[in-house]
Amino acid sequence: MSIQFDTSRQIFHLQTDNTSYVIQIVRGYAAQLYWGKRIRSISSASSLRYVDRSFSPNIDPDDAAFSLDVLPQEYPAYGHTDFRNPAYQIQLENGTTVTDLKYNTHRIIKGKPPVAGLPATYVEQAEEADTLEIELVDSVINLKVILTYSVFEKLNAITRSVNFTNEGKQDLKILRALSMSVDLPDDQYDVLHLSGAWADERNVERRPLTRGHQLIESRRGASSHQQNPFLALLRQGADENQGEVYGFSLVYSGNFVAGVEVDQYRTSRVSLGINPFDFSWLLNPGESFQTPEAVTVYSDQGLGGMSRTYHKLYRTRLARGEFRDKERPILINNWEATYFNFNADKIESIAKKGRELGIELFVLDDGWFGHRDNDKTSLGDWFVDKSKLPGGLEDLVNRVTSLGMKFGLWFEPEMISEDSELYRSHPDWCLHVPDRSRSTGRNQLVLDFSREEVGDAVIQMVSAILSSAPITYVKWDMNRHMTEVGSPDLPAERQRETAHRYMLGLYRVMEAITSRFPHILFESCSGGGGRFDPGILYYMPQTWTSDNTDAVCRLKIQYGTSIVYPVSSMGSHVSAVPNHQVHRHTSLKMRGDVALSGNFGYELDLTKFTPEEEELVKQQVAFYKETRGLIQFGEYYRLRSPFEGNDTGWMFVSEDQSEAIVMYFKVLAQPNAPLDTLRLRGLNPDYDYKVSGLEQPAGGDALMYAGLNIPRLEGDFQSLVWTLRKV
Ligand code: DGJ
C-alpha cells in the first residue's frame, strides 16, 4: 500500500517510488507536513511549529500561537483567519461567505476511481494506484467535501481532485472550487510556465518567485494558446538535469487558474483549478460538484525528470483507446496545399503522389462541406459540398483508399456560421446573452455545448458522416474563443455555470463520438495548439501542435510542449517554403528532421516537389517508418534549449536503452564558430553503441560525459541526426 495512516499522530503518508507526501490532521484541519524526496517516515525534527504571529487572528482565543493564516494547509478556506488565497469559497443563502471544513473521516482504497463526468488519469489494474479520500465537513451548513489523492506508486505522480456535496437544507453557491492547494514551507523557487499566442504556443518562461501572488490563467473558454494549464516550481539552481522540481498540471480544457502566492513569512501557496473568474455553481440540497483533476509530480532530477514522468503517465494512463500504444501513421494534409480551393481530382493527385512517396494517410482538411469556399460560411452544415466533390465523400474516399492510402477528415463540430442551414434553423443554439450582439471570431459563433440537445445534434451529424465512409482519422478543430458566455437554457442564478457546463458537454460529446468510432484516430486542434491540454488528450491521443509549421519556430514550440506532453501527442508536419506563417526559407532536410520529432506528416502540395526533393522525402518517410516506435514511445531527453541560443538538441531513447536517436539543429550559421560537443543523456553507461557515421562503437558513458562531436556546419538552418544502437 502506498498510503499509510498513523492513527496516533493522525498522519497520512503517501509514497511513490521517489516521493513522499505527508498530511497531518491538526485540530481538524488537513495540514501539509512534507512533500519531496521519498522518506521512510516523518520525524519530530520537522514537525509543524506554532508561534504567535501579529495580525494572524486565532480561532481559539486561548491559543495565540494557532492561526490558519500560518498553518500549511491542503484545502484552505476563506474568512476564518487565513488571509491567503483560498482553495474554495461558498456563499450561503444569507449572503455570507465564511465556511469552515473540518476532518470527519477518511477512506483508503485500492486503485483509482474515475472522476465523474470529467477526463482523468486511470489505472488498468487496481495495483497501479491507491487512493485516499479525506472527508471534510462544515457542520453549520452540512457541506461535505472530499479531498481525493491517488498515488501512482511506480509512475511517481499524485493526482488530486475535490468533490462538494450539499447535505444541508439551504442552497449553496460555490464561488470558487479549485482542484488543489498546497503550501510549501519557503519561497526559494523559480516559477516556470508555458505561455504564448496563436502560432507561438508554449514558450518556456521562468522567473524567481517574489512576494505576492503570481498567476497565470485563461478567461477565454479554452485552455488557450496564451497560457497552458500547467506550472512548475524549480529550486533555484535546478535545471534540465538536476535539482528539485514540482509540477502542477490540470486535466481540464476550459478557463483555469494556476497561481503561487508567496506570503509574509515567505511560504509558497500553489493553487490550481477552474478559474473563479465569472464562475459560480449553484449547489441545491442533495447535489454534488466535482472539480477537474490536478496531476502533481515531484522530481529530484530536474525539469527533464519531471517531464518524463508526465510523458509516461499521460501517454499510458491518460490517453486511451486503440491508438494509445499504436504507431501513428504518416499523413499528408491538404490544408496548406490548397486551402479551400480543391476538387476531387486535385485531392486524388496529392494522395497519389503521397502513396508513391510512402505516405500512409490522406487528410482532407477544411472546405469539404456546405458551400465552404471561405471561412465565412457553412460551419454546422456537415454534409458534402457536391460542387467540389460531385461523387460525394464516398467516391472521394474510394479514390483515395484504392490507391492504398487511408482517409482522414477535418471537422469543427463546436462551431456554427451565421451563414449556415443550422443557424437558420437554430439561431439560439450558439452561446449568447439577451439584448447583446453576438461577437464573431473567424466569422463564426460558438455552439452552446452546455445544452444537451445541441451536443446530441452534433453527435448525430458527425456520426452520420463517419459512418458513411471508411474514415480512419479525424482532425477535430476549434477556431475561436468564447464571448457573450451565456445560455438561454439556464436560469439567471446559473448563468455563470455556462463555461464549465460547456466543457462538461464537450467531454460528453467527445466521449460519445470517440467510443462509437474506436477504430478512428482522433487528432485535436484549436487553431493549432490552442487546446493542447490533458483534458483533450484523454479523448484524443494527439494534437496539432501549432498552426505555425516553420521549422525554426517549431523548435521552440515543440520543445516547450515537451515540458509536459509526450512526443506521441504532438502532430508535426513538413510544409512548403517560403513558410506560410513567417515566410522563411528553411531546408527540406531541417523541416523534415523537426517534423520527424513528433507524429510525422506533410502539409503541402506533394505534386510540386522536384525529383531530388522527392528522393529526400522518400528517405524521410522510410526513416520514420523504421524509427517511429522509438520516437513516439521512447524516453525523451532535451539536450539544448532553443530558448537559450542558436541551437537545439533532443534525443529519444528506447526504454531498454538499447537504441537512441539524437537530433541537433543549428538555426543560423556562425562565423568561425567554436568546436562544439553534444553531451547525450539517458543512455546506459555500461553499454557500447554503434553511432551512425562513426567507425568505432562508443560507450554510453563516453557519449554522456565526454559527448559527441558536432561536425562544423555551414549555412543557415542545419540539422543532424544520429542513430545509436547497442552493440
Ligand atoms: C486551423 C487549423 O489549425 C488548421 O490546421 C486548419 O485545419 C484550419 N483551421 C482550417 O480552417
Side-chain angles (χ1 to χ4, degrees):
M1 241 316 156
S2 57
I3 301 172
Q4 306 296 333
F5 182 55
D6 175 342
T7 323
S8 61
R9 295 194 297 163
Q10 295 279 287
I11 285 179
F12 297 98
H13 189 167
L14 285 53
Q15 280 174 314
T16 75
D17 276 357
N18 69 12
T19 308
S20 281
Y21 193 102
V22 185
I23 300 165
Q24 185 169 27
I25 304 300
V26 176
R27 299 193 193 197
Y29 295 102
Q32 160 59 216
L33 200 45
Y34 171 73
W35 183 20
K37 200 171 169 69
R38 182 184 163 108
I39 52 176
R40 277 174 288 131
S41 68
I42 197 81
S43 81
S44 56
S46 50
S47 56
L48 291 168
R49 281 168 287 181
Y50 304 99
V51 281
D52 182 359
R53 300 286 203 182
S54 303
F55 285 86
S56 288
N58 314 109
I59 47 175
D60 175 357
D62 296 327
D63 187 355
F66 189 80
S67 172
L68 295 177
D69 199 27
V70 289
L71 185 73
Q73 287 166 80
E74 288 296 296
Y75 207 63
Y78 165 74
H80 210 57
T81 77
D82 190 349
F83 297 110
R84 295 169 291 173
N85 191 38
Y88 75 99
Q89 193 181 14
I90 309 281
Q91 188 165 36
L92 280 53
E93 275 180 354
N94 65 14
T96 63
T97 52
V98 177
T99 52
D100 192 20
L101 289 172
K102 294 275 193 65
Y103 171 83
N104 184 40
T105 182
H106 73 268
R107 286 171 290 280
I108 297 174
I109 311 161
K110 251 211 142 358
K112 179 176 191 290
V115 177
L118 286 161
T121 56
Y122 59 89
V123 292
E124 287 193 335
Q125 315 284 334
E127 292 65 44
E128 292 172 13
D130 295 313
T131 296
L132 166 66
E133 292 181 351
I134 302 180
E135 185 178 306
L136 310 171
V137 168
D138 182 315
S139 55
V140 174
I141 53 172
N142 284 332
L143 170 68
K144 183 171 87 183
V145 171
I146 297 177
L147 309 182
T148 299
Y149 301 77
S150 291
V151 181
F152 284 90
E153 190 172 2
K154 298 283 169 233
L155 289 171
N156 281 310
I158 299 177
T159 65
R160 296 180 57 175
S161 68
V162 182
N163 187 280
F164 292 75
T165 303
N166 183 355
E167 295 190 336
K169 292 198 164 43
Q170 62 172 308
D171 289 348
L172 300 175
K173 196 170 227 184
I174 299 177
L175 303 178
R176 158 195 295 259
L178 300 184
S179 298
M180 61 151 292
S181 179
V182 67
D183 289 330
L184 298 171
D186 65 79
D187 67 344
Q188 298 303 296
Y189 298 101
D190 292 342
V191 61
L192 180 146
H193 54 95
L194 305 172
S195 305
W198 172 79
D200 186 25
E201 298 91 337
R202 290 170 295 285
N203 287 262
V204 179
E205 314 253 358
R206 178 177 177 166
R207 60 179 181 281
L209 286 182
T210 55
R211 268 198 192 154
H213 199 187
Q214 29 251 289
L215 65 82
I216 54 160
E217 63 182 330
S218 169
R219 285 181 241 116
R220 295 172 165 267
S223 50
S224 84
H225 308 83
Q226 289 72 11
Q227 302 288 354
N228 198 260
F230 164 81
L231 65 77
L233 290 183
L234 286 80
R235 267 283 170 225
Q236 285 168 0
D239 61 21
E240 180 62 29
N241 302 305
Q242 56 80 40
E244 289 189 297
V245 178
Y246 295 84
F248 305 86
S249 164
L250 189 68
V251 187
Y252 191 57
S253 315
N255 294 337
F256 73 91
V257 66
V260 190
E261 182 180 11
V262 177
D263 78 343
Q264 55 183 338
Y265 301 115
R266 298 193 184 281
T267 69
S268 302
R269 172 167 290 177
V270 184
S271 36
L272 181 64
I274 292 176
N275 199 338
F277 176 82
D278 201 34
F279 164 85
S280 66
W281 194 277
L282 185 63
L283 205 59
N284 293 135
E287 288 182 349
S288 292
F289 178 81
Q290 174 64 52
T291 74
E293 177 170 277
V295 180
T296 67
V297 167
Y298 164 81
S299 156
D300 64 350
Q301 309 205 345
L303 201 58
M306 181 210 73
S307 296
R308 283 184 290 282
T309 301
Y310 276 118
H311 292 175
K312 190 150 188 198
L313 181 70
Y314 284 179
R315 184 167 60 71
T316 64
R317 292 295 179 268
L318 176 67
R320 299 175 302 161
E322 245 176 53
F323 287 89
R324 187 188 74 181
D325 306 322
K326 254 199 199 159
E327 292 187 0
R328 309 291 164 75
I330 303 174
L331 66 81
I332 166 69
N333 176 305
N334 73 307
W335 178 241
E336 290 197 13
T338 64
Y339 296 104
F340 296 104
N341 185 18
F342 59 82
N343 58 30
D345 290 341
K346 180 68 200 167
I347 295 303
E348 190 179 7
S349 71
I350 297 176
K352 189 157 176 284
K353 182 54 76 181
R355 175 64 186 157
E356 280 167 37
L357 298 171
I359 296 172
E360 299 156 315
L361 164 70
F362 177 86
V363 178
L364 181 60
D365 210 281
D366 196 353
W368 57 267
F369 51 92
H371 55 99
R372 187 143 163 109
D373 294 327
N374 53 52
D375 63 14
K376 294 189 171 57
T377 176
S378 300
L379 291 170
D381 292 349
W382 299 110
F383 40 83
V384 172
D385 179 356
K386 289 273 177 78
S387 67
K388 278 184 194 159
L389 306 174
L393 199 56
E394 216 182 324
D395 171 65
L396 182 70
V397 178
N398 276 340
R399 287 165 75 170
V400 170
T401 50
S402 63
L403 296 166
M405 296 270 272
K406 305 247 185 240
F407 187 88
L409 196 59
W410 179 97
F411 286 91
E412 194 174 357
E414 296 159 69
M415 297 293 152
I416 184 165
S417 305
E418 277 170 296
D419 176 22
S420 67
E421 287 183 22
L422 190 68
Y423 192 76
R424 283 185 279 275
S425 3
H426 298 286
D428 64 328
W429 270 15
C430 63
L431 291 176
H432 65 280
V433 294
D435 310 323
R436 306 274 164 201
S437 60
R438 302 172 181 192
S439 310
T440 53
R442 206 193 187 202
N443 309 299
Q444 61 201 47
L445 298 165
V446 183
L447 277 173
D448 182 357
F449 267 49
S450 74
R451 294 170 67 172
E452 211 169 302
E453 61 174 326
V454 174
D456 287 347
V458 168
I459 294 172
Q460 192 273 323
M461 288 187 286
V462 173
S463 299
I465 290 285
L466 295 182
S467 312
S468 72
I471 294 165
T472 60
Y473 165 104
V474 163
K475 178 174 172 186
W476 181 300
D477 206 347
M478 194 283 270
N479 282 305
R480 63 157 292 184
H481 290 146
M482 292 179 190
T483 55
E484 292 89 29
V485 182
S487 177
D489 257 13
L490 294 171
E493 63 278 16
R494 288 196 183 271
Q495 282 299 318
R496 284 161 66 112
E497 298 176 10
T498 309
H500 181 59
R501 284 185 183 274
Y502 179 101
M503 284 304 142
L504 298 176
L506 173 66
Y507 292 146
R508 182 181 74 85
V509 171
M510 286 188 164
E511 178 70 35
I513 294 177
T514 55
S515 55
R516 191 173 295 178
F517 298 96
H519 307 312
I520 292 182
L521 169 61
F522 286 84
E523 175 155 344
S524 73
C525 173
S526 173
R531 223 167 37 183
F532 206 131
D533 62 61
I536 299 289
L537 275 185
Y538 179 74
Y539 303 96
M540 307 191 175
Q542 58 188 64
T543 298
W544 178 226
T545 313
S546 177
D547 272 352
N548 188 341
T549 51
D550 170 65
V552 175
C553 296
R554 274 297 185 117
L555 292 174
K556 284 188 177 163
I557 295 168
Q558 292 175 202
Y559 187 100
T561 303
S562 81
I563 298 289
V564 187
Y565 304 100
V567 172
S568 61
S569 66
M570 286 187 227
S572 49
H573 304 167
V574 174
S575 62
V577 286
N579 171 268
H580 293 194
Q581 293 77 40
V582 296
H583 307 284
R584 195 182 345 248
H585 275 268
T586 51
S587 65
L588 181 55
K589 159 98 171 82
M590 179 182 179
R591 278 178 279 150
D593 291 341
V594 173
L596 285 165
S597 305
N599 296 322
F600 186 52
Y602 292 82
E603 185 148 345
L604 40 65
D605 190 344
L606 297 173
T607 63
K608 298 206 168 125
F609 276 139
T610 64
E612 296 71 39
E613 286 173 329
E614 281 189 9
E615 212 29 63
L616 182 50
V617 169
K618 278 188 191 158
Q619 287 169 23
Q620 291 170 339
V621 167
F623 178 77
Y624 195 69
K625 284 182 181 168
E626 260 170 48
T627 55
R628 66 179 144 190
L630 172 52
I631 291 174
Q632 294 168 0
F633 304 120
E635 299 253 322
Y636 180 77
Y637 289 82
R638 293 178 291 262
L639 304 176
R640 296 254 174 110
S641 167
F643 295 98
E644 288 164 17
N646 186 31
D647 59 357
T648 301
W650 52 53
M651 65 186 283
F652 312 86
V653 184
S654 63
E655 211 162 330
D656 65 2
Q657 296 174 305
S658 66
E659 285 182 90
I661 295 169
V662 180
M663 298 208 181
Y664 173 81
F665 307 91
K666 185 157 182 166
V667 175
L668 293 180
Q670 251 178 302
N672 209 5
L675 299 176
D676 201 359
T677 302
L678 193 61
R679 289 203 200 176
L680 307 190
R681 299 267 164 201
L683 299 175
N684 188 319
D686 299 328
Y687 289 176
D688 288 330
Y689 294 90
K690 166 81 187 101
V691 182
S692 55
L694 291 188
E695 289 288 313
Q696 299 295 325
D701 50 357
L703 289 165
M704 291 194 290
Y705 313 139
L708 178 62
N709 286 343
I710 301 172
R712 295 195 77 182
L713 294 168
E714 282 166 13
D716 298 340
F717 314 126
Q718 297 291 332
S719 61
L720 296 166
V721 177
W722 293 269
T723 55
L724 279 68
R725 198 176 296 274
K726 183 188 172 213
V727 290

